[in-house]
Amino acid sequence: MAKNNVIAALDIGTKKVTTLIAQINEDNSFSIIGKGVAENNKGLIAGDVVDVQATAAAIRDSVSEAEKISSKRIKSVFVAISGEGIRSINNHGVIQVRGQEVEKTDVDRVIEQAKIITMPDDSDIINVEIGKYTVDGKAGIVNPIGMACRKLEVDVLIVTMPKTMCRNLYKAVEDAGFIVSGGVVSAIASSWAVLENDERDLGVAMVDIGDGVADIAIYYNGDPLYVAVMPMGGKFITDDISKVMKIPPVEAEKIKCKYGDARPDFVDETEEFKTVIIGTNAPTTKKAKQLAKVITPRIEEILVEVKKKLMDSRKESFIQSNVVLTGGTAKLKNIQCIAEDTLEQTVRIGIPKIDDPGSGFQDVLSSPAFSTAVGIIRHFTVRKQLEIVKRDGVLAKLADIIKNFFE
Ligand SMILES: Nc1ncnc2c1ncn2[C@@H]1O[C@H](COP(=O)(O)OP(=O)(O)OP(=O)(O)O)[C@@H](O)[C@H]1O
Ligand SMILES: [Mg+2]
């Protein structure tokens, strides 16, 4: 295996840090050859790194597990970037083409022009997603190179984040001993893992509800139109269970995943589970219906906020196919029904697609909790290059980035 065909993806979540090591095949498909997951209970709040050392430790554990499984040594990683302060801006570039036909330099120039935006000094651009080109008024062009043209235009989506938050994330990776080779906003990564091309063309919303945040992306005509992050996730549900039912947080988390249901009316009166109660040692029996009654208002609240965010985006009318729910919280039983009622859209649960289901990483294939990590790899195979925010805050594109990643 050629060593420069292997990449590592790092998803630093509020609940867990995931590392996936993938081999990129000649046909641009990928095979996952290593996976590591480490708990990250202290490092992040609402998607932002608040404890660099704890996060760095979780990153080291997660990478080291993936290294062992794959027998590869990792030097650098591609990261998913999330956090409450993420914003997206739709922008447009226009240039006069100098020659008779569009050349690569014209495309670079129009993209550079589209990147010019006024934004707060304390923010960095973390991604520029290139949309379609317009050639002398003809819109919807995917690749204008070689076309006769005088006026070239492009639509882009620019994703920004507060500088300090971005730096803390990169610092955690660097303190763990790795180089950041590129970054992609988590919402776009997850979208690459779970969305169908037809959905992206028709218009779709991807909502990745994790533990501390919900990452949202809206696509239309194949391109992302909007990205946002909401500081809400499964942790809110666990905290409610713990407070209302007086169950220790670690136990509440397990009970939510095992017996939790978003629809109390679907739960049988007789269904029960045993749990410990704060302040006592003896196990107590509780009704699953009571648990569901604690879960429902909170998941409904999260979904109402998602609906508001979609409406505030002013892009809601573009969602013509589905809302695709993913992230660990999408595993909550009957979340699909409650989401359809609340969002007033058809909803499906998105599971990450991997190209090589026979690789033995079936859990990756079947769990919405791994959408972001898988999506980093798919995004990479499609875009070929990812962006990185340099120390001086300038966004650089790294060509040929697969080179020299591994010792
Ligand atoms: N079966 C289940 N039922 C309900 N919730 C579940 C289930 N499985 C996992 N979860 C919840 O999913 C959440 C974790 O999701 P995920 O792994 O996507 O989060 P993360 O990526 O670490 O965090 P974030 O993206 O919010 O920073 C936790 O709150 C967990 O309790
Ligand atoms: Mg996540």
Side-chain angles (χ1 to χ4, degrees):
M1 185 195 306
K3 66 177 182 178
N4 61 4
N5 282 340
V6 175
I7 67 162
L10 192 62
D11 171 25
I12 304 165
T14 312
K15 181 94 197 136
K16 62 177 191 342
V17 174
T18 305
T19 305
L20 292 182
I21 302 180
Q23 188 199 328
I24 311 295
N25 306 316
E26 272 185 11
D27 63 356
N28 219 20
S29 65
F30 62 86
S31 310
I32 290 168
I33 57 171
K35 167 178 162 270
V37 179
E39 277 207 14
N40 188 27
N41 285 327
K42 281 190 251 144
L44 267 67
I45 295 178
D48 291 325
V49 174
V50 291
D51 184 336
V52 172
Q53 290 319 311
T55 305
I59 292 170
R60 266 193 298 272
D61 290 349
S62 154
V63 174
S64 140
E65 189 186 327
E67 282 182 328
K68 263 187 224 133
I69 293 171
S70 63
S71 305
K72 299 279 171 199
R73 284 274 291 153
I74 303 294
K75 269 167 55 181
S76 61
V77 291
F78 291 96
V79 292
I81 307 170
S82 188
E84 211 184 328
I86 282 177
R87 302 277 178 274
S88 70
I89 301 157
N90 302 95
N91 211 24
H92 188 78
V94 190
I95 59 155
Q96 294 299 322
V97 173
R98 288 178 188 138
Q100 302 283 314
E101 290 175 0
V102 179
E103 292 179 9
K104 169 87 171 56
T105 50
D106 299 311
V107 169
D108 292 343
R109 265 198 312 131
V110 76
I111 291 171
E112 281 311 310
Q113 232 246 20
K115 281 187 196 169
I116 301 168
I117 51 164
T118 27
M119 61 173 196
D121 282 349
D122 61 354
S123 288
D124 274 333
I125 293 178
I126 54 169
N127 276 164
V128 178
E129 290 289 314
I130 317 287
K132 302 286 185 296
Y133 297 86
T134 301
V135 172
D136 288 340
K138 183 160 179 51
I141 309 288
V142 176
N143 179 7
I145 291 177
M147 289 179 76
C149 169
R150 294 168 77 167
K151 187 166 109 181
L152 181 64
E153 299 167 69
V154 68
D155 288 315
V156 298
L157 184 76
I158 296 174
V159 186
T160 69
M161 182 185 200
K163 275 186 174 35
T164 49
M165 290 305 151
C166 191
R167 302 277 154 87
N168 285 340
L169 183 83
Y170 278 38
K171 182 159 182 357
V173 179
E174 285 161 10
D175 283 6
F178 306 103
I179 299 161
V180 180
S181 293
V184 53
V185 67
S186 299
I188 289 189
S190 295
S191 295
W192 275 109
V194 300
L195 298 182
E196 301 292 339
N197 288 343
D198 288 347
E199 286 174 328
R200 258 196 294 265
D201 286 341
L202 261 176
V204 64
M206 189 296 307
V207 183
D208 180 321
I209 311 180
D211 191 56
V213 291
D215 298 289
I216 298 174
I218 298 177
Y219 277 76
Y220 176 70
N221 210 2
D223 301 317
L225 289 186
Y226 175 77
V227 163
V229 181
M230 285 170 34
M232 299 180 109
K235 191 177 184 319
F236 285 35
I237 303 172
T238 303
D239 289 350
D240 284 353
I241 297 169
S242 181
K243 278 183 206 140
V244 176
M245 299 182 80
K246 314 242 174 314
I247 298 173
V250 174
E251 176 80 356
E253 167 71 23
K254 284 188 201 144
I255 281 179
K256 174 184 78 173
C257 297
K258 201 159 174 200
Y259 305 103
D261 199 311
R263 290 285 299 259
D265 49 326
F266 288 7
V267 182
D268 201 283
E269 272 308 335
T270 57
E271 217 183 299
E272 293 177 336
F273 60 90
K274 281 202 160 48
T275 179
V276 286
I277 297 295
I278 293 170
T280 66
N281 286 326
T284 310
T285 303
K286 294 273 182 192
K287 290 213 173 292
K289 208 178 187 71
Q290 186 199 353
L291 176 69
K293 282 182 180 167
V294 176
I295 292 173
T296 306
R298 186 59 90 171
I299 191 65
E300 243 167 17
E301 187 201 357
I302 294 173
L303 292 163
V304 164
E305 291 303 317
V306 168
K307 170 89 182 157
K308 276 193 207 152
K309 201 79 181 170
L310 295 175
M311 283 166 68
D312 289 351
S313 74
R314 297 164 184 252
K315 307 278 192 264
E316 208 204 7
S317 60
F318 291 101
I319 307 168
Q320 297 292 336
S321 62
N322 289 315
V323 172
V324 179
L325 274 192
T326 192
T329 297
K331 287 164 78 179
L332 176 65
K333 219 170 169 188
N334 288 315
I335 191 171
Q336 188 198 357
C337 324
I338 200 166
E340 291 206 329
D341 292 348
T342 317
L343 300 174
E344 299 171 283
Q345 301 267 6
T346 49
V347 172
R348 74 170 179 90
I349 305 299
I351 287 164
K353 292 174 283 183
I354 64 170
D355 295 332
D356 189 10
S359 62
F361 291 94
Q362 286 301 327
D363 51 346
V364 176
L365 181 73
S366 59
S367 175
F370 293 113
S371 296
T372 309
V374 173
I376 298 169
I377 297 166
R378 189 171 292 284
H379 183 263
F380 174 84
T381 63
V382 175
R383 292 245 334 231
K384 300 291 191 325
Q385 56 181 16
L386 296 181
E387 292 132 332
I388 180 164
V389 180
K390 283 200 216 153
R391 282 252 170 262
D392 60 3
V394 175
L395 188 76
K397 271 191 185 162
L398 303 182
D400 212 9
I401 42 180
I402 307 192
K403 284 195 178 141
N404 304 321
F405 283 169
F406 300 85
E407 283 170 351

